[in-house]
């Protein structure tokens, strides 16, 4: 999946954290919801502006960022 059109980074928004389509919802927010036990359906129900493609883009982005050591 090509996440470049979905994940945006804007220095003035959420302190430059990667966000979904310019919204204030970050990749990290989505990953934390999953880590907390929410399902994709629950996240999509809570955030009607999100799409299943947005969720997939978050996971793709997370697997491709370098790990800091």
């Amino acid at each position: 999946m090509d996440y470049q059109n979905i994940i945006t980074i804007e220095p003035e928004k959420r302190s430059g954290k990667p966000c979904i389509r310019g919204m204030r919802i970050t990749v990290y927010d989505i990953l934390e919801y999953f880590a907390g036990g929410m399902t994709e359906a629950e996240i999509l129900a809570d955030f009607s502006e999100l799409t299943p493609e947005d969720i997939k883009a978050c996971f793709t982005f997370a697997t491709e960022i370098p790990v800091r050591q």
Side-chain angles (χ1 to χ4, degrees):
M1 160 173 257
D2 181 22
Y3 62 80
Q4 269 85 7
N5 295 327
I6 297 175
I7 305 301
T8 58
I9 299 174
E10 301 173 47
E12 67 282 353
K13 193 172 288 176
R14 295 292 304 263
S15 301
K17 293 179 182 173
C19 294
I20 300 169
R21 293 184 287 113
M23 294 183 275
R24 299 188 57 75
I25 302 168
T26 68
V27 170
Y28 306 109
D29 293 335
I30 298 302
L31 297 177
E32 285 181 355
Y33 296 142
F34 273 102
M38 288 182 77
T39 65
E40 180 176 333
E42 290 171 327
I43 294 169
L44 293 173
D46 284 353
F47 299 94
S48 61
E49 63 270 35
L50 293 179
T51 67
E53 291 77 25
D54 295 332
I55 303 289
K56 290 177 189 131
C58 290
F59 281 106
T60 301
F61 179 83
T63 62
E64 293 185 7
I65 56 173
V67 177
R68 295 183 190 179
Q69 296 188 14

